Amino acid sequence: MEDNAVLEEGFNGLTRAQASLPASWYLDPAHFEREVREIWGRNWVYLCRAETLDGPRAFRTFEVAGQPILLLRDQEGELQGFFNTCRHRGSILCPQAEGTLKKAMITCPYHQWVYDLTGRLRATGPMRKVAGFDRAEHPLHRVRVEEWGGFVFVNLDPDAPSFDELYGAETAYVANWPLEDLRVGHVYSKTLHCNWKVFWENYNECLHCPNIHPELCELVPIYGRAIMARRDDPEWAEHAEDLAPHHSGGLRAGAETWSMDGEAQGRLPGLTDADVEVGMRYVTVTPSVFIAHHADYVRLVKITPKTAETMELTAEWLFHPDTLARPDFDADKITQFGILVMEQDGAASELNQKGMRSSAFHNGVLMQEEYEVFLFQQWVREQLGEAPKSEGAASRASRRAPLAE
């Protein structure tokens, strides 16, 4: 091991205690605006499910990193993304949240400039021709849009690496899930009074699990040991072949999925026994979303920063249409369990935020088990130019996959 190594080689852990981010980074409005620009404005951010734009001329509008975004399908059904801003004097083009354009054109409601669905300027309303103006030089400003598994992401940075380049290895890990075929069966949303990073840090460790999540620890016994995966234990090699859930990270005996009783409502088509035995697999697309894959459904959790000390938490539960059509389908058993866990996490995150307001607290300390929190915080530093970039920091296969050794 290198003398200055930060991560242990034989197991998942930090070699030494590490200072956490400055408390001001969770409280200061000016720093929050910097993060919005330099992190949220330069990374892939989840927008919506592709099926919510149903057919040619369907559109939806969003705000990403404080920027107005227009997402639509052109006449061929292809997704197009633009800044929702007219090239004339900057008016919003589509003030509605969603809808279907009556014609294959986008007309500015202010001065009637008209664009086709690929963003080209076609007409300037009642304005007379004037020297020095060329329509071809005034198309809508594009934003990069990519779709994976029916999930639509946008990136405002034209020079950022592609979605596949950053996350291809991680998404391949869940290739057997029929994501494009799934449909949203339930949505939950709540405002949390904490900085967006606090919620991500909570997601990236399980030291809090025994105290905060008794029901989850009963379902996933390794969480009751305050660790996330087999190799989080320095002595993991001594029981490397032991498939007992408290060592392997799988679900408790007899459980099939994350639900109130642990029972799955069928199995998603295409999954193997190995997929199901894992109990859960994660895809994490920092900074906006993580996606948990289970035997019978997929749960997406979206983080949206609002202010330095508030964020919006949104969860979507996706099911196969055949599951939704079953007469015995009981969504509540699944959604109630997920909501319970998220509300516990939310309450803990709000406690964390309140405590950091102390004038005596300048920054915390990360212990050995908080290696994922360190990696997340290091990623934040790198995004802000406060640390040199390290290969693979933006995307790494989640160590929460218990049987993927």
Side-chain angles (χ1 to χ4, degrees), residues 86-143:
C86 182
R87 290 297 306 275
H88 175 215
R89 279 168 48 194
S91 171
I92 287 291
L93 289 167
C94 291
Q96 300 88 358
E98 59 185 314
T100 300
L101 299 170
K102 294 180 179 179
K103 299 180 180 179
M105 61 183 66
I106 306 162
T107 302
C108 178
Y110 194 10
H111 296 107
Q112 303 297 292
W113 280 32
V114 179
Y115 305 83
D116 67 22
L117 301 190
T118 67
R120 290 177 295 182
L121 179 62
R122 293 301 195 182
T124 55
M127 299 178 187
R128 296 184 293 271
K129 291 183 179 181
V130 62
F133 177 80
D134 184 351
R135 288 181 189 171
E137 296 176 357
H138 293 79
L140 294 180
H141 291 298
R142 284 190 169 274
V143 294

Side-chain angles (χ1 to χ4, degrees), residues 215-222 245-246 249-257 259-263:
E215 299 85 359
L216 180 58
C217 290
E218 193 274 332
L219 180 66
V220 187
I222 200 169
H246 69 284
L251 304 179
R252 63 169 168 77
E256 303 167 305
T257 193
S259 66
M260 296 302 289
D261 58 9
E263 292 183 6

Side-chain angles (χ1 to χ4, degrees), residues 278-289:
V278 167
M280 55 277 179
R281 288 185 176 177
Y282 289 85
V283 169
T284 303
V285 182
T286 314
S288 71
V289 72

Side-chain angles (χ1 to χ4, degrees), residues 49 151 182-185 296-298 300 316-320:
R49 288 289 294 174
F151 301 105
L182 304 186
R183 294 295 179 264
V184 175
D296 52 343
Y297 70 97
V298 169
L300 174 146
E316 300 175 354
W317 284 261
L318 283 71
F319 302 94
H320 195 275

Side-chain angles (χ1 to χ4, degrees), residues 206-278:
C206 220
L207 288 174
H208 71 280
C209 290
N211 183 52
I212 302 298
H213 299 305
E215 299 85 359
L216 180 58
C217 290
E218 193 274 332
L219 180 66
V220 187
I222 200 169
Y223 292 173
R225 298 172 57 202
I227 59 177
M228 296 185 291
R230 184 195 292 277
R231 297 194 186 206
D232 291 2
D233 178 0
E235 310 299 328
W236 72 269
E238 296 181 7
H239 42 76
E241 305 302 321
D242 189 344
L243 296 181
H246 69 284
H247 285 311
S248 70
L251 304 179
R252 63 169 168 77
E256 303 167 305
T257 193
W258 281 34
S259 66
M260 296 302 289
D261 58 9
E263 292 183 6
Q265 301 186 57
R267 179 191 288 195
L268 291 172
L271 299 190
T272 66
D273 290 343
D275 294 328
V276 173
E277 288 169 2
V278 167

Side-chain angles (χ1 to χ4, degrees), residues 115-371:
Y115 305 83
D116 67 22
L117 301 190
T118 67
R120 290 177 295 182
L121 179 62
R122 293 301 195 182
T124 55
M127 299 178 187
R128 296 184 293 271
K129 291 183 179 181
V130 62
F133 177 80
D134 184 351
R135 288 181 189 171
E137 296 176 357
H138 293 79
L140 294 180
H141 291 298
R142 284 190 169 274
V143 294
R144 296 170 64 192
V145 175
E146 292 198 26
E147 181 182 343
W148 163 71
F151 301 105
V152 179
F153 294 85
V154 66
N155 196 320
L156 306 187
D157 182 357
D159 300 318
S162 71
F163 184 88
D164 186 67
E165 182 179 347
L166 286 173
Y167 300 105
E170 193 160 347
T171 57
Y173 184 56
V174 295
N176 290 338
W177 270 260
L179 297 175
E180 292 186 7
D181 298 333
L182 304 186
R183 294 295 179 264
V184 175
H186 188 76
V187 177
Y188 163 88
S189 184
K190 184 175 184 178
T191 297
L192 295 182
H193 295 277
C194 66
N195 184 275
W196 67 276
K197 298 187 299 297
V198 169
F199 193 85
W200 271 118
E201 291 164 3
N202 178 84
Y203 166 76
N204 277 309
E205 51 91 353
C206 220
L207 288 174
H208 71 280
C209 290
N211 183 52
I212 302 298
H213 299 305
E215 299 85 359
L216 180 58
C217 290
E218 193 274 332
L219 180 66
V220 187
I222 200 169
Y223 292 173
R225 298 172 57 202
I227 59 177
M228 296 185 291
R230 184 195 292 277
R231 297 194 186 206
D232 291 2
D233 178 0
E235 310 299 328
W236 72 269
E238 296 181 7
H239 42 76
E241 305 302 321
D242 189 344
L243 296 181
H246 69 284
H247 285 311
S248 70
L251 304 179
R252 63 169 168 77
E256 303 167 305
T257 193
W258 281 34
S259 66
M260 296 302 289
D261 58 9
E263 292 183 6
Q265 301 186 57
R267 179 191 288 195
L268 291 172
L271 299 190
T272 66
D273 290 343
D275 294 328
V276 173
E277 288 169 2
V278 167
M280 55 277 179
R281 288 185 176 177
Y282 289 85
V283 169
T284 303
V285 182
T286 314
S288 71
V289 72
F290 66 85
I291 306 168
H293 299 68
H294 301 283
D296 52 343
Y297 70 97
V298 169
R299 177 173 58 103
L300 174 146
V301 178
K302 178 182 180 182
I303 290 87
T304 304
K306 292 299 184 181
T307 70
E309 296 195 70
T310 60
M311 55 161 279
E312 189 77 13
L313 180 68
T314 304
E316 300 175 354
W317 284 261
L318 283 71
F319 302 94
H320 195 275
D322 292 346
T323 301
L324 292 170
R326 285 174 47 174
D328 61 341
F329 174 59
D330 185 356
D332 286 348
K333 290 200 302 183
I334 291 171
T335 59
Q336 287 176 5
F337 186 80
I339 291 171
L340 171 66
V341 172
M342 285 186 291
E343 290 191 340
Q344 291 168 339
D345 282 329
S349 296
E350 290 182 333
L351 282 176
N352 195 170
Q353 183 72 30
K354 286 181 180 179
M356 284 193 291
R357 294 175 186 160
S358 165
S359 61
F361 184 81
H362 301 290
N363 65 271
V365 59
L366 301 179
M367 306 301 286
Q368 187 173 72
E369 297 90 340
E370 295 169 294
Y371 62 94

